[in-house]
Amino acid sequence: MGKSSHGSVPAFQLFINGAWKNASAGATYDVVNPATEEVIAKVANASRGDMDTAIAAARKAFDDGPWRRTTPHDRAKVLRRLIDALEKRKEELRQWLISCAAAEYVTHWIQLDMPFTMLANYADLATSFELEQMLPVIASQSPMPQVSNSMAYHQPVGVCGLIPTWNFPFFVTAQKIGPALATGCTMVLKPSPYVPIIDLIIAQAIEECDLPPGVFNVVTGESAELGAALVESPLVDKISYTGSVGTGKKIMAAAAPTLKRVHLELGGKSAAIVLDDASLDQVAPLTAGPSFFHAGQGCAMCTRVLVPKSKHDEYLERLTGFVNMIVRVGDPADPGVMLGPVIREERRQQIESYIASGKEEGAVLATGGGRPADLPKGYFLQPTIFGGVRNDMRIAREEIFGPVLSVLPFDDEEDAIRIANTSAYGLGGAIYTSDIPKALEMAKRIRTGTLNINGAISLLHTPFGGFKDSGIGREGGRWGMLEYSEVQAIAWK
Ligand code: NAD
């Protein structure tokens, strides 16, 4: 099972080549609950050598094992078995999501339920995605011999290095392992050091799925070296990384010498545009919820709200009133809490430096701005709203990844589109209006990977990813299948 106890807390091992192992020299590190600051688990602290062993196992399983030659039907069966095995561990997953990732109950539909649906979707796609596409014969004017038959065939991309982040750990991992398993890849998963246990529970579930050893490996550890080892290894064919822009750029550079495929899901500074005809009564809760749940630690959250200049003060008042009335800050183990702690103390201090910069640059602090006085333990912050924000301020341009919302006034719709697009990022966005045709036209002019109108959510069958600094590539649905396959042209006569 890879789990034992170490004093009063559980201890977890690495999962390599189908077996549980201690890290070299038995090294471990502590996992901390961000709401209580208590150590809640001891986890194997892998060395680069441990990572190399896992990569070699995944390589061997891909090159010499039976997995890549299984049928789509077999792979769908494995995914369905995995869902059943995880279903038995759902409450355990919930408890670890709460204690490691500070997942508030209001987020469990996305933190816990959605990954099950996502894996089921990939089980379906394993058989419905067309691995073979017959291609039409094109009449050619050239003297080249005519190709009579040809097809595009999708092979699995190979050994995948999967590096998810900590904010929605089950969701982000499911987005990667779903298509990797559905296409017949092998993989080494390197969890975020803050929340390694979710991926280790997935490994426990994998043990019930009859997967050949080496197909699925989990290597936990504190050091960024482990991710770097995956990226640099000539034995790895593809990296799928979710995390910060800075690390994304390092990964892209480090992957160049081995020319591997790189898929990057990075940060965002998404804008919600409230048009003149939108009802502020409806818009205030719709813009507040997605900005403050999970303490604002979501990549596609709309942390800039753009409102017509004439409505700025009224919107700010309603938004602030709503947040002060509804948003309860506290331990996510309490089901009534909407806003838990941020993940670590250093992140809290970084967010506080953004709040200070907002004040210095002249934004109006409408509410929050500090630490809740009644929560002396844990990395908590008050929900914070700035009004009168200009798009050249740091709080409007940079990703804060905390419970801080900036409200920006705009002159007209052209101005709103310009402000939304004046960003290094291009991940998410929203438009609120009663004029859907107009919103659809505006959406096509906004350079972001997703754009939701009037609070609609698109997460499962739709592509997810970013323009500009928000990343390269798409996850989700058939786009996820394409990311994990390498297409080959086969012609015959
Ligand atoms: P991070 O870059 O600090 O760390 C993420 C992971 O990368 C960790 O596991 C870390 O060990 C590893 N890592 C660090 N250096 C590495 C290197 N040189 N090579 C390989 N791996 C390395 O990211 P973070 O700050 O923990 O994540 C938060 C960010 O993630 C935010 O910017 C957020 O917007 C983004 N995010 C994006 C999405 C998306 O789908 N676009 C989803 C969730 C979060």
Side-chain angles (χ1 to χ4, degrees):
M1 290 294 286
K3 183 180 165 192
S4 58
S5 61
H6 188 287
S8 58
V9 295
F12 293 83
Q13 295 173 297
L14 311 173
F15 187 69
I16 298 178
N17 206 20
W20 294 96
K21 289 184 167 52
N22 286 331
S24 308
T28 63
Y29 75 97
D30 293 341
V31 176
V32 169
N33 179 333
T36 62
E37 302 181 36
E38 284 163 4
V39 174
I40 49 174
K42 296 239 173 233
V43 172
N45 199 3
S47 65
R48 203 163 172 136
D50 295 321
M51 178 55 90
D52 289 343
T53 306
I55 294 172
R59 184 78 256 167
K60 190 164 170 30
F62 187 79
D63 291 342
D64 305 334
W67 175 242
R68 66 186 273 210
R69 294 190 302 274
T70 51
T71 64
H73 186 71
D74 292 336
R75 297 196 287 272
K77 241 200 270 181
V78 164
L79 276 159
R80 295 215 169 87
R81 272 192 223 127
L82 176 61
I83 294 165
D84 291 344
L86 286 169
E87 197 71 56
K88 287 191 257 165
R89 295 163 171 85
K90 191 166 183 182
E91 285 316 304
E92 195 187 351
L93 283 165
R94 186 192 305 282
Q95 291 315 315
W96 285 116
L97 283 166
I98 292 170
S99 60
C100 293
E104 307 87 345
Y105 277 81
V106 287
T107 68
H108 288 194
W109 64 275
I110 177 166
Q111 291 272 19
L112 187 60
D113 301 322
M114 189 80 95
F116 280 94
T117 318
M118 201 177 269
L119 291 172
N121 190 31
Y122 279 112
D124 291 345
L125 275 162
T127 49
S128 65
F129 179 78
E130 274 187 14
L131 289 179
E132 293 179 9
Q133 288 157 314
M134 288 301 296
L135 302 173
V137 176
I138 308 284
S140 168
Q141 303 295 323
S142 81
M144 287 236 322
Q146 188 95 25
V147 171
S148 33
N149 297 294
S150 64
M151 72 157 136
Y153 178 65
H154 294 269
Q155 293 197 16
V157 72
V159 177
C160 302
L162 309 179
I163 311 176
T165 186
W166 46 266
N167 60 342
F168 291 89
F170 188 23
F171 181 99
V172 174
T173 290
Q175 274 283 46
K176 298 187 190 307
I177 65 171
L181 289 170
T183 48
C185 295
T186 64
M187 63 213 77
V188 179
L189 183 55
K190 206 296 288 175
S192 157
Y194 302 154
V195 293
I197 297 163
I198 303 303
D199 295 325
L200 292 167
I201 292 175
I202 296 173
Q204 290 171 3
I206 283 279
E207 284 191 293
E208 294 176 22
C209 298
D210 290 335
L211 261 190
V215 170
F216 184 90
N217 306 274
V218 184
V219 179
T220 57
E222 275 184 306
S223 169
E225 270 276 288
L226 296 175
L230 267 176
V231 176
E232 289 160 17
S233 172
L235 303 183
V236 173
D237 299 297
K238 172 197 167 78
I239 291 291
S240 177
Y241 166 78
T242 300
S244 63
V245 174
T247 303
K249 288 182 179 174
K250 279 189 207 159
I251 287 176
M252 203 155 168
T258 49
L259 279 180
K260 52 175 61 72
R261 297 252 303 257
V262 175
H263 174 202
L264 302 173
E265 292 284 347
L266 309 177
K269 189 75 190 178
S270 305
I273 301 177
V274 180
L275 295 186
D276 214 19
D277 64 355
S279 147
L280 292 189
D281 280 339
Q282 287 169 8
V283 167
L286 283 171
T287 46
S291 307
F292 289 118
F293 77 46
H294 206 30
Q297 300 169 117
C299 52
M301 287 177 172
C302 289
T303 51
R304 293 184 291 161
V305 182
L306 318 187
V307 290
K309 213 173 249 170
S310 59
K311 296 214 165 152
H312 171 273
D313 293 355
E314 189 189 346
Y315 169 75
L316 191 61
E317 196 184 315
R318 284 185 199 219
L319 177 73
T320 307
F322 176 83
V323 167
N324 288 340
M325 190 172 66
I326 296 291
V327 178
R328 222 183 104 207
V329 186
D331 188 339
D334 175 347
V337 157
M338 183 169 166
L339 198 160
V342 297
I343 195 78
R344 287 291 180 271
E345 176 58 19
E346 56 273 24
R347 304 267 173 164
R348 174 161 71 169
Q349 289 175 15
Q350 222 169 31
I351 298 162
E352 287 173 326
S353 77
Y354 276 111
I355 295 172
S357 85
K359 292 182 196 162
E360 277 159 26
E361 291 189 273
V364 178
L365 181 65
T367 191
R371 301 180 179 193
D374 58 334
L375 295 166
K377 275 261 176 220
Y379 317 121
F380 293 98
L381 280 168
Q382 295 169 325
T384 298
I385 300 173
F386 280 106
V389 176
R390 293 189 318 272
N391 207 33
D392 61 350
M393 294 180 180
R394 280 184 68 207
I395 55 168
R397 282 200 326 269
E398 295 177 25
E399 184 185 48
I400 299 175
F401 226 53
V404 182
L405 184 61
S406 296
V407 181
L408 291 81
F410 66 77
D411 293 328
D412 55 28
E413 285 157 17
E414 285 304 311
D415 192 34
I417 294 171
R418 184 190 60 76
I419 295 171
N421 280 335
T422 309
S423 171
Y425 294 103
L427 193 57
I431 298 174
Y432 294 93
T433 178
S434 50
D435 188 342
I436 299 289
K438 183 202 276 184
L440 289 172
E441 285 316 304
M442 280 181 85
K444 292 174 192 163
R445 295 178 58 196
I446 295 171
R447 300 199 64 230
T448 56
T450 61
L451 198 298
N452 299 329
I453 298 169
N454 293 338
I457 292 173
S458 56
L459 274 177
L460 275 180
H461 306 284
T462 49
F464 185 82
F467 287 35
K468 303 189 267 182
D469 275 5
S470 292
I472 296 176
R474 293 292 180 272
E475 294 187 317
R478 62 182 303 279
W479 292 271
M481 298 293 283
L482 290 168
E483 285 289 347
Y484 288 83
S485 51
E486 194 70 88
V487 69
Q488 174 187 40
I490 305 178
W492 68 96
K493 61 179 179 180

